[in-house]
Structures are given as structure tokens and as C-alpha cells.
Amino acid sequence: MRHFLLLCLMSGSFCINAQNYGGTITFITADNGSPADWVMVYSDSGLMGYLNADGKEIVPPIYVTIDPFGEYHENWAKVQSENGRSGFINQDGQIVVEVKYDEIDKFGVYKENWAMVSIDGKYGFIDTAGREVVKPQYAEIPKKKQ
């Protein structure tokens, strides 16, 4: 019953928060890959976002995909925008890596604490602080042979 009441209370704030991005939220779902008290929401066009337990919009529903937190980096979730570009958000819902990359590899594949990124067919690296340590400028960066 408590969950039902929370859901009803949050649904009243959906319409208000939805006005911030010009759409309405069509449905919500619990999501195991999000912070414990967050609820995933979807816009009419199927874009994803999050509300917290108080019904406050933490991540507006502007992303095509939101990967589970911690899959690439502890406390970060990889997001993808409608234009196909990727970046990361943190558990406060803030963008920590600009949503501008065509691809982002997992950290540690090439070098510890670095993740390979690409923009327009050029490759470089970001670090675990979200800084671009090697600008995407290389046509290829092969993996080390093991």
C-alpha cells in the first residue's frame, strides 16, 4: 500500500516536471541499475529519465538509453542522446562526461583508469575524472596483444 501511495503522489508531479522538456511521461518503472530510491520514467516518445523518491525530476527524460550505474565507472551511468552521442551522468543526475562521443569503451581496456572514446571516426581517451586526457585525433588505437 505504501508503494501505491508513493506512486500516486509522484504521478501528480510528473505532469509538472514533464513541462520542463515539452512532453508528458507515459509510464514509469522500477530499475535495478539506478540509485535505490530512483524511479525510471519514459516520455511519450520513449526517452528515459529518473525521478527520486520525492517525485523530483533528477534526470529529465531526454536519453534514448541509460545504462546501469557502475557498469562503466563506479557511480556513473552511460547515457545516449537522440543524436546517438554518449556521455556519463553521476548519481546526482549531473553530466560528468559531455554527451558528445560516438563510442565509449569500458575503463581499463587499454590503460588503467582510461576509457577509449571516439568522435567522427577519431579515437582518444578520457580518465576516471571525466577529463579528455588524449584528444580524439587518431584514426586507430589497436588493443595490446596478450
Side-chain angles (χ1 to χ4, degrees), residues 49-131:
Y50 282 108
L51 302 176
N52 69 10
D54 297 324
K56 180 181 177 200
E57 186 177 88
I58 301 300
V59 178
I62 58 172
Y63 298 109
V64 174
T65 60
I66 302 175
D67 290 348
F69 282 84
E71 188 172 303
Y72 283 74
H73 180 290
E74 185 179 356
N75 300 321
W76 290 5
K78 183 177 161 188
V79 295
Q80 184 181 42
S81 66
E82 287 186 279
N83 67 4
R85 303 288 176 141
S86 295
F88 288 102
I89 59 172
N90 64 18
Q91 289 190 330
D92 293 326
Q94 300 169 334
I95 295 173
V96 289
V97 174
E98 188 178 345
V99 183
K100 68 177 188 178
Y101 297 104
D102 294 324
E103 296 178 48
I104 302 176
D105 208 344
K106 292 193 182 229
F107 286 89
V109 172
Y110 290 83
K111 182 177 177 353
E112 187 175 351
N113 298 320
W114 284 16
M116 189 173 73
V117 295
S118 72
I119 298 175
D120 300 327
K122 301 293 183 186
Y123 297 89
F125 293 96
I126 59 171
D127 66 13
T128 54
R131 294 181 301 250

